Amino acid sequence: MSLSIIKPGLLDTIQDLGRTGYSRLGINSGGAMDRYAAQVANMLVGNETPEAVIEIHFPGAQFLFEQNTLISITGGDFNAMLNDEPVPLWHPIVVRKNAVLHFPKLQSGSRCYLAVHGGLCVNRWLNSYSTHLKAGAGGFQGRKLEKGDEIPFRESRIYFAGLLKPGREFEVLKWKVDTGNTYRHPNEIYIIKGNEWDQLTEQSQQHLQEDNFTIHPFSDRMGYQLKGVDLKRTDNTELVSSGVSFGTIQLLPNGQLIVLMADHQTTGGYPRVGHVISAHLPKLAQLRPSDCIHFETTDLATAENLLLAQQQELNILQRACTERLNQMVC
Amino acid sequence: MTNQYKIFPLGDAAVTLDMGNTISETLNQKALAMQQWLLAHPFEGLKDCLVAYSSLTLLYNPVIIKKYYKPADTVFAWVADLLQEAFDKALSTPTASRDVIRIPVCYEEPYAPDLAALAREKQLTTGEVIHLHTAPVYNVYMIGFLPGFSYMGEVHERIAMPRKQYPAPVNAGSVGIAGSQTGIYPLNSPGGWQIVGQTPLRLFEPFAPEPVKLQAGDRVQFYAISKNEFMEYIQRL
């Protein structure tokens, strides 16, 4: 029971919802960039949401399934193909042994997630499957996936072959997730004001709220560097380092902004002018270099309510997926 | 003891209690005491708790807090109240009584790429820099940046030197100076600190029962070892 990598991709790593409890040792949380897509991928195949998934960047790897199984692909659209036939995102898909999954073309988004029914058997390090590249720990041997890697998955009680039509290599199951609420208006990113917001000049505050910012090519899992007009502080006092979080928007000494993403360091010393709200991190995680961002300030209560609403949707989805999968087995 | 502090949201899933933009042992001890209090009084949804120089940051899951405690106001307000309670109830214990962790450092080439330049800049001999760097017992204020990267201070003002303008590759174990701070790189990494030596000790071992050797609140003193001693250490480890 495993899948193997027949051709490596740019950066394909094992991720989950992040590593918690070790920030005070400088060990950052990491985890999936788009946690919504990662959770939905697991739900579609009947897994618990903290299961390990594969986060795929474009160009993605080619995967060979060495056993019949149930998979799902969510997040960015890289034109997923099973044995050269296109397959849709956000659906459960039964695949036959020896089917090959590949991603020939970047359509939209920045990273996609592959989940396998039962979950992947990979290394847990400090209570998380997430790959910590710097530490060389967690996930698959603490590194990105390479040619020849075999990732075992857990055995299943479902007889998948019975769901495949003769001669077909895969079967897309009927139900699909409506992701509209999460990814609507992809470039509109809500933020709440950071502690050093008030140190921005009035004009800079205005720029931050009204201008478009472009995602710089030097953006990665650690952070998105943004290009825009130089922002200024009225107070240029240096700050002593303190904690930062996923979504923190820092003002760099050159007047440009950086948004801290999943692999951000635990602490930082640049002014925190704002924070992307949690509910909008998934859509931010799907933006790409040269995409535009427009920030809109909101308040904490709104931010919390949007996150709760997103979670409620996920809860409903999980119940529905479990029900459908149970019916399928009976 | 200070009573000055500010609690502010660090996004919608984190909160910071900040006691001032300063490096102070007293404030750092207070932050550590609060961390201890919170770890002894954890709440559902608490994900992480980290001490920096003069602040404490909590990372939390708002959804879980909402579900368990049903706060009337925002989740942030609920966590902020708890932080305030931690501030009121946590008693600082001076760390001065703690055992000093002695760390061997080789201040010779090729382990000290920036030592000569720092000495020149400060009009000191390298011997004087080493003496000034090994004399004090440093306080570990915080761990951050990389797994196990220790921010210690404060170095003697005569060897305080700003970061390099451009980061350069740094070897694991390198001991650096940045402003009045000193610290040890636990991993190979790009870094901007002035590297004055290297320890043969491994301060981060991902698969050891305690992956990170130094913690905030520890007290550290460096002592100089020769290149030969450095090699002996490496062979022994």
Side-chain angles (χ1 to χ4, degrees):
Chain A
M1 302 287 284
S2 64
L3 61 86
S4 62
I5 312 298
I6 47 182
K7 198 177 150 198
L10 175 71
L11 176 63
D12 301 331
T13 54
I14 306 289
Q15 300 294 345
D16 62 8
L17 301 178
R19 186 170 277 113
T20 62
Y22 296 93
S23 285
R24 69 201 160 85
L25 302 180
I27 298 168
N28 54 2
S29 130
M33 287 278 276
D34 179 347
R35 288 176 165 36
Y36 175 86
Q39 291 185 76
V40 172
N42 271 322
M43 291 175 181
L44 284 167
V45 296
N47 294 346
E48 294 296 318
T49 53
E51 274 299 341
V53 295
I54 303 177
E55 182 179 87
I56 299 160
H57 288 84
F58 191 83
Q62 274 188 28
F63 301 88
L64 169 73
F65 295 96
E66 292 175 342
Q67 205 51 248
N68 299 335
T69 186
L70 179 70
I71 65 164
S72 69
I73 307 156
T74 63
D77 184 354
F78 303 165
N79 244 14
M81 299 259 199
L82 269 167
N83 289 4
D84 294 324
E85 259 190 78
V87 286
L89 299 176
W90 308 102
H91 276 272
I93 306 165
V94 182
V95 294
R96 195 187 290 282
K97 179 178 174 174
N98 289 330
V100 172
L101 172 68
H102 73 123
F103 300 92
K105 191 161 176 257
L106 176 59
Q107 294 288 355
S108 64
S110 206
R111 50 229 1 135
C112 72
Y113 296 87
L114 171 64
V116 179
H117 172 76
L120 305 168
C121 302
V122 286
N123 306 123
R124 255 175 110 74
W125 178 60
L126 305 180
N127 301 327
S128 164
Y129 295 118
S130 291
T131 310
H132 197 300
L133 291 174
K134 277 191 179 145
F140 192 88
Q141 299 175 12
R143 60 166 171 80
K144 71 189 189 92
L145 300 178
E146 297 290 359
K147 184 178 174 167
D149 287 347
E150 273 192 41
I151 308 169
F153 43 84
R154 295 193 194 97
E155 221 164 307
S156 171
R157 60 198 170 89
I158 303 179
Y159 176 61
F160 291 111
L163 299 163
L164 289 161
K165 295 190 183 96
R168 293 283 298 157
E169 298 309 305
F170 64 89
E171 183 68 34
V172 178
L173 301 185
K174 292 282 183 298
W175 61 95
K176 181 186 192 328
V177 181
D178 177 5
T179 60
N181 287 338
T182 299
Y183 299 106
R184 189 169 295 135
H185 309 304
N187 309 88
E188 294 291 317
I189 302 293
Y190 281 16
I191 62 170
I192 60 168
K193 291 172 182 173
N195 192 49
E196 284 78 36
W197 170 271
D198 292 336
Q199 293 180 5
L200 289 172
T201 62
E202 230 170 273
Q203 204 184 13
S204 288
Q205 290 179 356
Q206 216 169 341
H207 279 304
L208 217 165
Q209 294 177 94
E210 288 170 11
D211 287 12
N212 282 331
F213 292 86
T214 310
I215 299 177
H216 193 277
F218 295 152
S219 297
D220 57 17
R221 280 184 43 92
M222 282 182 74
Y224 281 10
Q225 298 202 35
L226 304 183
K227 274 189 296 191
V229 64
D230 282 351
L231 303 181
K232 292 188 178 61
R233 287 165 80 200
T234 50
D235 174 355
N236 283 315
T237 324
E238 279 208 31
L239 303 176
V240 301
S241 287
S242 62
V244 289
S245 64
F246 190 177
T248 294
I249 307 169
Q250 293 179 320
L251 178 65
L252 300 176
N254 65 4
Q256 298 292 302
L257 299 173
I258 183 167
V259 188
L260 302 183
M261 300 300 282
D263 273 344
H264 69 84
Q265 299 170 5
T266 52
T267 55
Y270 294 127
R272 300 144 291 198
V273 296
H275 304 273
V276 174
I277 68 166
S278 298
H280 283 187
L281 288 173
K283 60 183 184 182
L284 182 60
Q286 292 300 348
L287 293 182
R288 312 177 32 74
S290 82
D291 280 347
C292 272
I293 296 181
H294 182 257
F295 291 120
E296 196 165 315
T297 51
T298 187
D299 57 27
L300 256 174
T302 309
E304 288 180 4
N305 288 336
L306 286 169
L307 180 65
L308 290 170
Q310 197 174 63
Q311 186 60 45
Q312 266 157 14
E313 260 191 50
L314 284 171
N315 293 346
I316 293 167
L317 184 66
Q318 179 146 43
R319 279 196 295 274
C321 286
T322 312
E323 223 166 88
R324 297 267 184 138
L325 284 171
N326 285 340
Q327 284 168 4
M328 198 173 77
V329 187
C330 295
Chain B
M1 189 71 257
T2 174
N3 279 311
Q4 299 291 314
Y5 64 90
K6 181 180 178 188
I7 297 175
F8 57 84
L10 195 72
D12 56 22
V15 52
T16 294
L17 183 146
D18 185 9
M19 294 174 282
N21 186 29
T22 171
I23 298 179
S24 129
E25 277 200 41
T26 320
L27 298 182
N28 190 243
Q29 281 162 12
K30 179 71 185 180
L32 278 167
M34 290 173 59
Q35 183 183 51
Q36 261 181 355
W37 189 89
L38 282 156
L39 293 176
H41 302 85
F43 55 90
E44 295 295 333
L46 175 64
K47 288 167 68 177
D48 253 309
C49 182
L50 79 136
V51 164
Y53 282 111
S54 50
S55 66
L56 181 77
T57 293
L58 302 186
L59 307 177
Y60 58 85
N61 183 332
V63 174
I64 294 181
I65 293 173
K66 194 86 182 174
K67 187 174 148 195
Y68 275 86
Y69 304 103
K70 303 186 169 54
D73 195 1
T74 59
V75 174
F76 164 74
W78 185 90
V79 183
D81 279 350
L82 207 99
L83 257 182
Q84 201 149 338
E85 189 183 347
F87 183 90
D88 293 337
K89 291 190 175 161
L91 297 174
S92 310
T93 44
T95 49
S97 56
R98 286 203 194 183
D99 288 345
V100 174
I101 301 166
R102 286 171 48 81
I103 293 183
V105 175
C106 178
Y107 292 91
E108 295 173 26
E109 287 305 325
Y111 304 111
D114 303 320
L115 178 63
L118 187 143
R120 252 196 325 274
E121 169 84 21
K122 298 290 171 183
Q123 298 181 326
L124 297 166
T125 65
T126 53
E128 286 169 325
V129 175
I130 296 166
H131 176 74
L132 288 171
H133 193 249
T134 51
V137 172
Y138 296 114
N139 182 46
V140 179
Y141 285 99
M142 58 185 270
I143 306 292
F145 169 44
L146 288 172
F149 187 99
S150 48
Y151 289 79
M152 298 180 246
E154 293 176 88
V155 300
H156 194 282
E157 58 181 18
R158 292 188 65 196
I159 58 169
M161 186 153 160
R163 263 166 248 249
K164 296 176 203 171
Q165 199 171 355
Y166 300 103
V170 174
N171 291 324
S174 293
V175 178
I177 290 175
S180 62
Q181 311 166 99
T182 184
I184 309 171
Y185 283 82
L187 293 168
N188 294 338
S189 162
W193 292 32
Q194 310 283 348
I195 304 305
V196 297
Q198 188 174 329
T199 177
L201 302 187
R202 293 193 194 122
L203 293 156
F204 174 63
E205 294 180 291
F207 302 108
E210 300 274 338
V212 168
K213 309 301 167 201
L214 293 177
Q215 294 198 28
D218 281 346
R219 295 167 60 75
V220 168
Q221 186 168 24
F222 297 115
Y223 65 98
I225 56 168
S226 69
K227 216 148 87 175
N228 283 339
E229 287 171 307
F230 184 91
M231 292 315 296
E232 279 167 27
Y233 257 107
I234 297 277
Q235 278 154 12
R236 252 185 286 151
L237 288 173

